[in-house]
Amino acid sequence: MGIHETRLAALRAVMAETATDLVVLGPSTSMVYLTGVDPHGDERPVLVIVAKDYAGFLMPALNADMARQHTDLPFHEWADAEGPAAALAALLDKCDAKRPGLSIVLDETMRADFALMVLDALEAPKRRYTADTIGRLRARKDAAETEALIACARLNDDAVRHAMTQLRAGMTELELQAIIRDYYKAHGAAAEFTIIGFGANGAFPHHHTGETVLEDNMAVLIDTGCRIGGYPSDMTRSFWFGEEPAEYKKVRETVEAAVQAALDAAKPGAIAREVDAAARGVIEAAGYGPRFVHRTGHGLGMDVHETPYITATSDSVLEEGNVFSIEPGIYLTGQFGVRLEDIVVLRKDGAEVLSGLPRMLDL
């Protein structure tokens, strides 16, 4: 079987395990993962619906020829002149979806009007989202996916190394951002995102890179990622431009110890909240607990943020092949922020860091 046939078979196995009658996906990375189809996304409903014995597309006729190049699944086409209702009804009939009380999984990223159209066509469905079906499959990366993520991480390493050699007093955050993005482009990658925080701006976890000027003796935070061949990278490094003061050194060493604690806790069979607790415990013990304001990590795959999520409340059981970030941080408003982030893949004996760039960088 090809990769998409294999993934469809795996999805049906998980559907049986979770007593799921239908999985309904809109235009999304989940649709691409399962079928290879990446349709034009607009207000015209396009869906793939998977049942026990049938899978097919609700497909706008004007996009059918393009989409047909990527899949052999049947299409239930509809034209603008007639609307999607009849085609959707025919697709649901083929899926044996007219029974009341079906257990359905809805792609949480699809348009609300697409989702409501499906719900309105069913009788008293019980709906949930994708975490325990296609989300679970996507979270277990195969060897090819892992290699793609490693390659992207290593290019990201090189971009950050290059950026560090270009740091100079008087440059703006936007200028450093441009240096990183130009490096990506020159090496065949596309920029996914780049956050540059100079000084107190690093205390905003999602700072909007701007015109702040780098001065001597100032904190620098770089959180950046690129994309190659459909897979992204994500990494954060924090360091001091000048002579590192004692408090910054203490904070950075505390965050590094939190990363190490999370790495030690991250093993197949561990619960995601246990990994979060390991990192959070180190930061709390150092007296900075309230200044760690976000989760410890998120999954990484075709999307920069996907399952599993490493949060204080997550009961997800981590599995071999999961890829996720470990990124504790301490944010001192008006002073600086320190976040150290690496992406790891879970091997049978623990977490393997994808990056080769040291976290405790110094200029």
Side-chain angles (χ1 to χ4, degrees), residues 28-304:
S28 63
T29 47
S30 286
M31 181 180 282
V32 177
Y33 173 88
L34 185 66
T35 70
V37 175
D38 188 7
H40 176 73
D42 61 15
E43 71 282 0
R44 295 178 177 88
V46 51
L47 305 168
V48 62
I49 301 182
V50 179
K52 177 182 177 183
D53 298 314
Y54 189 80
F57 277 89
L58 177 70
M59 181 63 67
L62 79 168
N63 295 330
D65 288 345
M66 176 184 67
R68 175 55 63 205
Q69 301 174 67
H70 304 287
T71 184
D72 293 326
L73 291 177
F75 284 9
H76 295 259
E77 297 182 30
W78 62 276
D80 286 351
E82 61 196 23
L88 177 61
L91 173 54
L92 292 173
D93 278 339
K94 293 290 286 186
C95 290
D96 189 25
K98 293 303 184 180
R99 295 172 284 113
L102 293 178
S103 174
I104 72 167
V105 164
L106 287 176
D107 181 353
E108 59 270 23
T109 69
M110 79 168 73
R111 288 174 54 123
D113 54 346
F114 292 10
L116 291 171
M117 179 184 68
V118 173
L119 293 175
D120 288 345
L122 301 174
E123 184 178 348
K126 302 169 198 169
R127 61 113 183 103
R128 65 186 193 282
Y129 300 120
T130 60
D132 65 345
T133 53
I134 193 163
R136 179 181 169 191
L137 296 179
R138 287 181 56 183
R140 296 194 304 244
K141 305 303 188 287
D142 62 27
E145 290 180 292
T146 302
E147 288 305 312
L149 289 164
I150 291 171
C152 198
R154 295 309 172 89
L155 177 57
N156 211 33
D157 289 350
D158 294 341
V160 173
R161 283 193 190 96
H162 173 69
M164 291 181 68
T165 69
Q166 304 301 303
L167 280 171
R168 67 182 188 284
M171 76 186 313
T172 67
E173 293 172 342
L174 284 168
E175 288 174 325
L176 186 60
Q177 181 187 72
I179 287 168
I180 292 172
R181 292 183 171 185
D182 287 346
Y183 190 94
Y184 292 151
K185 185 175 181 180
H187 292 81
E192 188 73 15
F193 66 93
T194 305
I195 297 171
I196 306 296
F198 290 160
N201 291 340
F204 305 129
H206 286 162
H207 170 61
H208 294 285
T209 304
E211 296 287 356
T212 299
V213 173
L214 181 63
E215 301 173 1
D216 290 331
N217 295 311
M218 181 178 272
V220 176
L221 185 148
I222 300 174
D223 182 356
T224 192
C226 59
R227 185 175 290 267
I228 307 172
Y231 286 86
S233 54
D234 186 3
M235 177 180 64
T236 308
R237 295 293 183 262
S238 300
F239 49 90
W240 193 265
F241 184 70
E243 186 174 346
E244 184 180 38
E247 185 174 20
Y248 187 87
K249 182 175 187 293
K250 177 186 175 184
V251 168
R252 192 160 67 133
E253 288 177 347
T254 299
V255 174
E256 170 62 16
V259 173
Q260 289 291 347
L263 287 171
D264 291 342
K267 301 179 185 300
I271 309 301
R273 57 182 158 75
E274 297 171 344
V275 179
D276 182 272
R280 201 166 301 278
V282 171
I283 291 174
E284 289 173 348
Y288 295 105
R291 310 317 305 163
F292 181 12
V293 297
H294 54 73
R295 65 197 175 198
T296 293
H298 57 83
L300 183 90
M302 295 176 74
D303 291 321
V304 175

